[in-house]
Amino acid sequence: MSSIALFAALGLLIGSFVNVLIYRLPLMIEASDQLQTARFNLAWPASHCPHCKQSLRIWHNIPLLSFLLLKGRCAFCHQAISPRYPLVECANAVVWAACAWHWGADWTGWAWAMFSSLLLALTVIDAQTSYLPDVLTQGLLWLGLLASALGLNPLPVHDAVLGAACGYVSLWLVASAFEGLTGKVGMGAGDFKLLAALGAWLGAWMLIPLVFLASTLGAFIGLTLMATHRMRRHDYLPFGPFLAVSASLLAWLGSDAVLGFMSHSFFA
Ligand SMILES: [Zn+2]
C-alpha cells in the first residue's frame, strides 16, 4: 500500500513536469519553425506566470498544493491559473498509482507509468495544438524497445521491433492512399511516429485492434461534436488522443476484453 502511495506522490511530481512539456514543447516547435534562435527550452526561462511573466517562487511551484493555497490565482497579478495544471497533475498521480497497483510497484510498474505520462503529454498537446513532438514520440518508441529488451514488458524484442516498423508503415500507407484519392492531408507524420511507438509497446498484432478502436472512438467523438455544432464538417480532429486512449485501454484490459466489449455493444 505504501509503495502505491509512493508512486502516487512521484506521479504528482512527474505530472508537474508533464505540464512543463505541455506548455513549452509547442512554443519550442513554433520558435524553431520560424527559424528564431530558441528563446525557450525546457529549463529556461524559469517557471513563470503566462500573464504577467513574473517568475514563480519555489512555494508557488509545489504540485497541486500551491494551486490550492493560491486558490487558483497568480500570486502577483491574481489572474486565474488554468485548471489544466492541477488536473494534469492529479490525472498523472492517479495513473501512476494505478500502474503500481496493476503491474506492481517496481520497474515494470515504472515503465508503464512512464508510458502513460508520455501519452498524457502527447494527448493534451495534440488536442490543443495538433502537434505530436518528436521528442515525445521518439522517447516513447525507445522506451518501449528498452522495456522489452530489459524484460519489463513480456513482449519479445522482435515483436516490439516489428510492431514499431509495422506501426509506422501501415499508417503511412493509409495516409498516402487517402491523400492520393482525396488530395487532402488526413494525418501527419507525427501520427505515424506515435503508432510506431505504440507498436513497440503492444506488438504488431495489437496494431489492428488499436487502429480499429481509435478510428471508432474518433468517428464517434467527431460525429458527436458535429451534431452539437462544436465542430464543422471540414475541421481537423487530431488523431493522436484517440490512439493514446485506445492504446492505454488495450494495455490495461487486453485486446480480447476491449474487442469483446465493442462487438457486444455494436452487434448485440
Ligand atoms: Zn501573474
Side-chain angles (χ1 to χ4, degrees):
M1 192 61 223
S2 62
S3 48
I4 292 182
L6 179 72
F7 260 66
L10 269 175
L12 206 55
L13 276 177
I14 301 288
S16 178
F17 184 64
V18 169
N19 273 320
V20 172
L21 296 173
I22 291 170
Y23 177 60
R24 296 193 179 206
L25 285 177
L27 292 173
M28 286 158 64
I29 292 174
E30 274 154 22
S32 65
D33 273 357
Q34 294 157 9
L35 297 174
Q36 293 169 355
T37 42
R39 300 301 296 159
F40 235 102
N41 62 42
L42 287 182
W44 192 92
S47 297
H48 55 268
C49 165
H51 299 289
C52 67
K53 314 286 184 225
Q54 270 279 354
S55 290
L56 303 186
R57 308 275 189 275
I58 199 142
W59 56 87
H60 298 149
N61 224 348
I62 308 163
L64 198 57
L65 209 62
S66 295
F67 184 86
L68 296 174
L69 288 175
L70 293 167
K71 300 196 177 71
R73 296 192 172 274
C74 168
F76 304 103
C77 67
H78 304 290
Q79 278 275 0
I81 304 169
S82 164
R84 196 197 73 213
Y85 291 93
L87 282 177
V88 164
E89 285 162 0
C90 285
N92 200 62
V94 169
V95 163
W96 273 58
C99 285
W101 173 75
H102 189 78
W103 280 285
D106 52 16
W107 286 107
T108 302
W110 177 84
W112 286 101
M114 290 300 288
F115 166 86
S116 312
S117 290
L118 284 165
L119 286 183
L120 178 62
L122 283 162
T123 297
V124 180
I125 294 175
D126 198 18
Q128 287 186 339
T129 66
S130 74
Y131 290 129
L132 288 167
D134 275 350
V135 60
L136 299 182
T137 50
Q138 301 305 288
L140 187 64
L141 170 71
W142 284 107
L143 201 63
L145 296 177
L146 264 178
S148 273
L150 298 175
L152 302 177
N153 185 357
L155 186 74
V157 179
H158 64 266
D159 278 350
V161 174
L162 201 65
C166 291
Y168 191 93
V169 172
S170 59
L171 216 50
W172 175 79
L173 280 174
V174 170
S176 307
F178 180 79
E179 210 181 322
L181 288 172
T182 64
K184 283 186 291 192
V185 178
M187 272 178 282
D191 293 310
F192 317 156
K193 292 173 193 168
L194 176 57
L195 194 62
L198 296 173
W201 281 88
L202 301 175
W205 286 112
M206 227 26 156
L207 290 169
I208 299 163
L210 172 59
V211 172
F212 176 65
L213 182 59
S215 314
T216 310
L217 278 177
F220 179 73
I221 300 286
L223 289 173
T224 309
L225 288 175
M226 276 191 265
T228 53
H229 303 289
R230 271 173 287 182
M231 196 179 100
R232 279 166 303 166
R233 199 167 151 42
H234 295 291
D235 282 351
Y236 175 75
L237 187 65
F239 193 44
F242 301 110
L243 282 175
V245 169
S246 308
S248 307
L249 280 175
L250 288 168
W252 276 87
L253 306 170
S255 58
D256 289 353
V258 173
L259 292 179
F261 173 78
M262 284 178 77
S263 59
H264 211 74
S265 33
F266 284 125
F267 305 117

